[in-house]
Amino acid sequence: MQCITCDTVVTRALQGAGGCRPFGANHVLPALVYVLHHPRWNAVKLGISNMGTTRLADHRRDGWLVIRTQYFELGADAYDVEQAVLHRLRNEMGVPPFLDATHMRYGGATETADADLVSPLKLWGLVCQARDEIDSEAA
């Protein structure tokens, strides 16, 4: 198949991804899921970024610490993991977004949480759990 947005050719169907997105990570390129912690704001953040971008460096300049990253060959898989974790946080655990857009020069306020409600390592555990669940569904 060929993406009608970016002309990238993909060799397998991207479940629910629909190829590229007009913003955010490109679903057909390699990407990272990352977990960040901002000690001064007592916040954690989940996000995705394609390889080779300045996204993590931009967040580091704003005081975020990189806790862990997970590589995915396809941004679509990273996106699926991110969405599964956000669903679990918001709908199953009742953890609301913590920061607003004024705190986030590079976007992503809706992917933040109060570190008192979910620690950085707990958030990373949710990433690993979602990754394993998605991997087992694909098998």
Short mmCIF file of all heavy atoms in Angstrom, two decimals, residues 95-137:
data_model
loop_
_atom_site.label_atom_id
_atom_site.label_comp_id
_atom_site.label_asym_id
_atom_site.label_seq_id
_atom_site.Cartn_x
_atom_site.Cartn_y
_atom_site.Cartn_z
N VAL A 95 -7.06 8.75 36.28
CA VAL A 95 -6.02 9.76 36.41
C VAL A 95 -6.22 10.80 35.31
O VAL A 95 -6.09 10.49 34.13
CB VAL A 95 -4.61 9.13 36.29
CG1 VAL A 95 -3.53 10.20 36.34
CG2 VAL A 95 -4.41 8.09 37.38
N PRO A 96 -6.53 12.05 35.68
CA PRO A 96 -6.77 13.09 34.66
C PRO A 96 -5.48 13.70 34.14
O PRO A 96 -4.42 13.55 34.77
CB PRO A 96 -7.57 14.14 35.44
CG PRO A 96 -7.02 14.03 36.83
CD PRO A 96 -6.73 12.56 37.04
N PRO A 97 -5.55 14.41 33.00
CA PRO A 97 -4.38 15.19 32.57
C PRO A 97 -4.02 16.17 33.68
O PRO A 97 -4.89 16.68 34.40
CB PRO A 97 -4.87 15.92 31.33
CG PRO A 97 -6.03 15.11 30.83
CD PRO A 97 -6.66 14.52 32.06
N PHE A 98 -2.72 16.44 33.84
CA PHE A 98 -2.24 17.22 34.97
C PHE A 98 -1.84 18.65 34.60
O PHE A 98 -2.21 19.60 35.26
CB PHE A 98 -1.06 16.49 35.61
CG PHE A 98 -0.54 17.12 36.86
CD1 PHE A 98 -1.35 17.34 37.95
CD2 PHE A 98 0.79 17.48 36.95
CE1 PHE A 98 -0.86 17.91 39.12
CE2 PHE A 98 1.30 18.05 38.10
CZ PHE A 98 0.48 18.27 39.19
N LEU A 99 -1.06 18.79 33.53
CA LEU A 99 -0.59 20.11 33.13
C LEU A 99 -1.50 20.68 32.03
O LEU A 99 -2.21 19.93 31.36
CB LEU A 99 0.85 20.03 32.61
CG LEU A 99 1.88 19.52 33.61
CD1 LEU A 99 3.25 19.42 32.96
CD2 LEU A 99 1.94 20.41 34.85
N ASP A 100 -1.43 22.00 31.86
CA ASP A 100 -2.17 22.61 30.75
C ASP A 100 -1.18 23.09 29.71
O ASP A 100 0.04 23.01 29.89
CB ASP A 100 -3.09 23.74 31.24
CG ASP A 100 -2.33 24.85 31.93
OD1 ASP A 100 -1.19 25.16 31.53
OD2 ASP A 100 -2.91 25.45 32.86
N ALA A 101 -1.70 23.61 28.62
CA ALA A 101 -0.86 23.99 27.48
C ALA A 101 0.16 25.07 27.83
O ALA A 101 1.21 25.16 27.19
CB ALA A 101 -1.74 24.44 26.32
N THR A 102 -0.09 25.87 28.85
CA THR A 102 0.87 26.93 29.20
C THR A 102 2.18 26.36 29.73
O THR A 102 3.21 27.02 29.66
CB THR A 102 0.28 27.91 30.25
OG1 THR A 102 0.00 27.18 31.45
CG2 THR A 102 -0.98 28.58 29.74
N HIS A 103 2.15 25.13 30.26
CA HIS A 103 3.36 24.49 30.74
C HIS A 103 4.16 23.82 29.62
O HIS A 103 5.34 23.53 29.80
CB HIS A 103 3.02 23.39 31.76
CG HIS A 103 2.54 23.91 33.06
ND1 HIS A 103 1.21 24.11 33.33
CD2 HIS A 103 3.21 24.27 34.17
CE1 HIS A 103 1.08 24.56 34.55
NE2 HIS A 103 2.28 24.67 35.10
N MET A 104 3.51 23.56 28.50
CA MET A 104 4.09 22.69 27.48
C MET A 104 4.36 23.45 26.19
O MET A 104 3.50 23.52 25.32
CB MET A 104 3.14 21.52 27.21
CG MET A 104 2.73 20.72 28.44
SD MET A 104 4.08 19.85 29.21
CE MET A 104 4.56 18.74 27.92
N ARG A 105 5.56 23.99 26.05
CA ARG A 105 5.91 24.72 24.83
C ARG A 105 5.86 23.84 23.59
O ARG A 105 5.62 24.32 22.50
CB ARG A 105 7.32 25.32 24.94
CG ARG A 105 7.39 26.53 25.80
CD ARG A 105 8.66 27.27 25.60
NE ARG A 105 9.83 26.45 25.92
CZ ARG A 105 11.05 26.75 25.55
NH1 ARG A 105 11.29 27.83 24.83
NH2 ARG A 105 12.07 25.98 25.89
N TYR A 106 6.09 22.55 23.76
CA TYR A 106 6.16 21.65 22.61
C TYR A 106 4.96 20.71 22.55
O TYR A 106 5.01 19.68 21.91
CB TYR A 106 7.48 20.86 22.65
CG TYR A 106 8.65 21.80 22.66
CD1 TYR A 106 9.35 22.06 23.82
CD2 TYR A 106 9.02 22.48 21.50
CE1 TYR A 106 10.41 22.95 23.83
CE2 TYR A 106 10.08 23.38 21.51
CZ TYR A 106 10.77 23.61 22.67
OH TYR A 106 11.81 24.50 22.67
N GLY A 107 3.88 21.06 23.22
CA GLY A 107 2.67 20.26 23.17
C GLY A 107 2.73 19.05 24.08
O GLY A 107 3.74 18.77 24.71
N GLY A 108 1.62 18.33 24.14
CA GLY A 108 1.56 17.09 24.90
C GLY A 108 1.00 17.21 26.29
O GLY A 108 1.15 16.29 27.10
N ALA A 109 0.33 18.32 26.61
CA ALA A 109 -0.23 18.49 27.95
C ALA A 109 -1.24 17.41 28.29
O ALA A 109 -1.33 16.97 29.45
CB ALA A 109 -0.86 19.87 28.10
N THR A 110 -1.98 16.93 27.31
CA THR A 110 -3.01 15.92 27.59
C THR A 110 -2.40 14.56 27.92
O THR A 110 -3.11 13.67 28.40
CB THR A 110 -3.98 15.77 26.41
OG1 THR A 110 -3.25 15.37 25.25
CG2 THR A 110 -4.74 17.06 26.14
N GLU A 111 -1.11 14.38 27.68
CA GLU A 111 -0.43 13.12 27.99
C GLU A 111 0.36 13.21 29.29
O GLU A 111 1.27 12.43 29.52
CB GLU A 111 0.50 12.71 26.84
CG GLU A 111 -0.22 12.33 25.57
CD GLU A 111 -0.44 13.52 24.65
OE1 GLU A 111 0.29 14.52 24.76
OE2 GLU A 111 -1.37 13.45 23.82
N THR A 112 0.00 14.17 30.17
CA THR A 112 0.69 14.32 31.45
C THR A 112 -0.18 13.79 32.59
O THR A 112 -1.39 13.63 32.43
CB THR A 112 1.04 15.79 31.72
OG1 THR A 112 -0.17 16.56 31.83
CG2 THR A 112 1.93 16.37 30.64
N ALA A 113 0.46 13.53 33.71
CA ALA A 113 -0.25 13.08 34.91
C ALA A 113 0.50 13.56 36.15
O ALA A 113 1.71 13.83 36.09
CB ALA A 113 -0.37 11.56 34.94
N ASP A 114 -0.21 13.66 37.25
CA ASP A 114 0.38 14.02 38.53
C ASP A 114 1.24 12.84 39.00
O ASP A 114 0.76 11.71 39.10
CB ASP A 114 -0.76 14.28 39.52
CG ASP A 114 -0.30 14.73 40.89
OD1 ASP A 114 0.85 14.45 41.29
OD2 ASP A 114 -1.12 15.37 41.58
N ALA A 115 2.51 13.10 39.27
CA ALA A 115 3.42 12.04 39.69
C ALA A 115 3.05 11.46 41.06
O ALA A 115 3.51 10.37 41.40
CB ALA A 115 4.86 12.54 39.70
N ASP A 116 2.21 12.15 41.83
CA ASP A 116 1.71 11.57 43.08
C ASP A 116 0.67 10.49 42.81
O ASP A 116 0.46 9.60 43.64
CB ASP A 116 1.09 12.65 43.98
CG ASP A 116 2.13 13.53 44.64
OD1 ASP A 116 3.31 13.10 44.75
OD2 ASP A 116 1.78 14.65 45.05
N LEU A 117 0.01 10.56 41.65
CA LEU A 117 -1.00 9.56 41.29
C LEU A 117 -0.42 8.40 40.50
O LEU A 117 -0.92 7.28 40.58
CB LEU A 117 -2.13 10.23 40.49
CG LEU A 117 -2.89 11.33 41.21
CD1 LEU A 117 -3.95 11.93 40.28
CD2 LEU A 117 -3.52 10.81 42.50
N VAL A 118 0.59 8.68 39.70
CA VAL A 118 1.26 7.63 38.93
C VAL A 118 2.74 8.02 38.82
O VAL A 118 3.08 9.04 38.25
CB VAL A 118 0.60 7.41 37.54
CG1 VAL A 118 0.60 8.65 36.70
CG2 VAL A 118 1.27 6.26 36.80
N SER A 119 3.58 7.20 39.43
CA SER A 119 5.02 7.49 39.44
C SER A 119 5.60 7.26 38.05
O SER A 119 5.00 6.58 37.22
CB SER A 119 5.73 6.59 40.45
OG SER A 119 5.77 5.25 39.96
N PRO A 120 6.79 7.80 37.79
CA PRO A 120 7.43 7.55 36.49
C PRO A 120 7.60 6.06 36.20
O PRO A 120 7.35 5.61 35.08
CB PRO A 120 8.78 8.26 36.60
CG PRO A 120 8.56 9.33 37.62
CD PRO A 120 7.56 8.76 38.60
N LEU A 121 8.01 5.30 37.20
CA LEU A 121 8.22 3.86 36.97
C LEU A 121 6.90 3.11 36.80
O LEU A 121 6.83 2.14 36.04
CB LEU A 121 9.07 3.25 38.06
CG LEU A 121 10.54 3.73 38.05
CD1 LEU A 121 11.32 3.08 39.18
CD2 LEU A 121 11.19 3.48 36.71
N LYS A 122 5.85 3.55 37.48
CA LYS A 122 4.53 2.95 37.28
C LYS A 122 4.06 3.22 35.85
O LYS A 122 3.53 2.33 35.18
CB LYS A 122 3.53 3.51 38.30
CG LYS A 122 2.09 3.11 38.06
CD LYS A 122 1.86 1.63 38.25
CE LYS A 122 0.39 1.30 38.10
NZ LYS A 122 0.13 -0.13 38.16
N LEU A 123 4.27 4.45 35.38
CA LEU A 123 3.88 4.79 34.01
C LEU A 123 4.67 3.94 33.02
O LEU A 123 4.11 3.43 32.05
CB LEU A 123 4.10 6.28 33.75
CG LEU A 123 3.64 6.82 32.40
CD1 LEU A 123 2.16 6.53 32.14
CD2 LEU A 123 3.92 8.32 32.30
N TRP A 124 5.96 3.74 33.29
CA TRP A 124 6.75 2.89 32.41
C TRP A 124 6.22 1.45 32.43
O TRP A 124 6.17 0.78 31.41
CB TRP A 124 8.24 2.91 32.78
CG TRP A 124 9.02 2.06 31.84
CD1 TRP A 124 9.61 0.87 32.11
CD2 TRP A 124 9.20 2.30 30.45
NE1 TRP A 124 10.18 0.36 30.96
CE2 TRP A 124 9.95 1.23 29.93
CE3 TRP A 124 8.82 3.33 29.59
CZ2 TRP A 124 10.31 1.15 28.59
CZ3 TRP A 124 9.18 3.26 28.25
CH2 TRP A 124 9.93 2.17 27.77
N GLY A 125 5.81 0.98 33.60
CA GLY A 125 5.22 -0.35 33.69
C GLY A 125 3.97 -0.48 32.84
O GLY A 125 3.74 -1.52 32.21
N LEU A 126 3.16 0.58 32.79
CA LEU A 126 1.96 0.56 31.93
C LEU A 126 2.34 0.50 30.46
O LEU A 126 1.67 -0.16 29.66
CB LEU A 126 1.10 1.79 32.21
CG LEU A 126 0.47 1.89 33.61
CD1 LEU A 126 -0.22 3.23 33.79
CD2 LEU A 126 -0.49 0.73 33.85
N VAL A 127 3.42 1.18 30.09
CA VAL A 127 3.92 1.11 28.71
C VAL A 127 4.31 -0.33 28.37
O VAL A 127 3.93 -0.87 27.33
CB VAL A 127 5.11 2.08 28.48
CG1 VAL A 127 5.80 1.81 27.15
CG2 VAL A 127 4.65 3.52 28.57
N CYS A 128 5.08 -0.94 29.24
CA CYS A 128 5.53 -2.32 29.00
C CYS A 128 4.35 -3.29 28.93
O CYS A 128 4.33 -4.18 28.07
CB CYS A 128 6.51 -2.76 30.09
SG CYS A 128 8.06 -1.83 30.06
N GLN A 129 3.38 -3.10 29.79
CA GLN A 129 2.19 -3.96 29.79
C GLN A 129 1.42 -3.79 28.47
O GLN A 129 1.03 -4.79 27.85
CB GLN A 129 1.31 -3.61 30.97
CG GLN A 129 0.08 -4.46 31.10
CD GLN A 129 -0.77 -4.07 32.31
OE1 GLN A 129 -0.48 -3.10 33.02
NE2 GLN A 129 -1.82 -4.83 32.54
N ALA A 130 1.22 -2.56 28.03
CA ALA A 130 0.50 -2.32 26.77
C ALA A 130 1.27 -2.89 25.59
O ALA A 130 0.68 -3.51 24.70
CB ALA A 130 0.26 -0.82 26.58
N ARG A 131 2.60 -2.72 25.59
CA ARG A 131 3.43 -3.27 24.51
C ARG A 131 3.28 -4.78 24.45
O ARG A 131 3.08 -5.36 23.37
CB ARG A 131 4.89 -2.89 24.75
CG ARG A 131 5.86 -3.47 23.74
CD ARG A 131 7.27 -3.56 24.29
NE ARG A 131 7.30 -4.42 25.47
CZ ARG A 131 8.14 -4.27 26.48
NH1 ARG A 131 9.02 -3.29 26.49
NH2 ARG A 131 8.11 -5.11 27.50
N ASP A 132 3.34 -5.44 25.61
CA ASP A 132 3.23 -6.90 25.64
C ASP A 132 1.85 -7.36 25.21
O ASP A 132 1.72 -8.37 24.50
CB ASP A 132 3.56 -7.42 27.03
CG ASP A 132 5.03 -7.20 27.40
OD1 ASP A 132 5.85 -6.85 26.51
OD2 ASP A 132 5.36 -7.34 28.60
N GLU A 133 0.80 -6.65 25.61
CA GLU A 133 -0.56 -7.01 25.21
C GLU A 133 -0.73 -6.86 23.70
O GLU A 133 -1.34 -7.70 23.05
CB GLU A 133 -1.58 -6.16 25.95
CG GLU A 133 -1.71 -6.52 27.41
CD GLU A 133 -2.51 -5.51 28.21
OE1 GLU A 133 -3.00 -4.50 27.64
OE2 GLU A 133 -2.68 -5.74 29.43
N ILE A 134 -0.22 -5.78 23.15
CA ILE A 134 -0.35 -5.55 21.70
C ILE A 134 0.48 -6.58 20.94
O ILE A 134 0.03 -7.11 19.92
CB ILE A 134 0.04 -4.10 21.36
CG1 ILE A 134 -1.07 -3.16 21.87
CG2 ILE A 134 0.27 -3.93 19.86
CD1 ILE A 134 -0.72 -1.70 21.84
N ASP A 135 1.68 -6.91 21.45
CA ASP A 135 2.51 -7.94 20.81
C ASP A 135 1.80 -9.29 20.80
O ASP A 135 1.85 -10.01 19.81
CB ASP A 135 3.86 -8.08 21.52
CG ASP A 135 4.83 -6.98 21.16
OD1 ASP A 135 4.57 -6.22 20.20
OD2 ASP A 135 5.86 -6.86 21.86
N SER A 136 1.14 -9.65 21.91
CA SER A 136 0.48 -10.95 21.98
C SER A 136 -0.76 -11.00 21.07
O SER A 136 -1.10 -12.05 20.54
CB SER A 136 0.11 -11.30 23.42
OG SER A 136 -0.92 -10.47 23.90
N GLU A 137 -1.42 -9.85 20.88
CA GLU A 137 -2.56 -9.81 19.97
C GLU A 137 -2.13 -9.97 18.52
O GLU A 137 -2.85 -10.54 17.70
CB GLU A 137 -3.32 -8.49 20.13
CG GLU A 137 -4.07 -8.37 21.43
CD GLU A 137 -4.65 -6.98 21.66
OE1 GLU A 137 -4.57 -6.12 20.74
OE2 GLU A 137 -5.16 -6.73 22.76
#
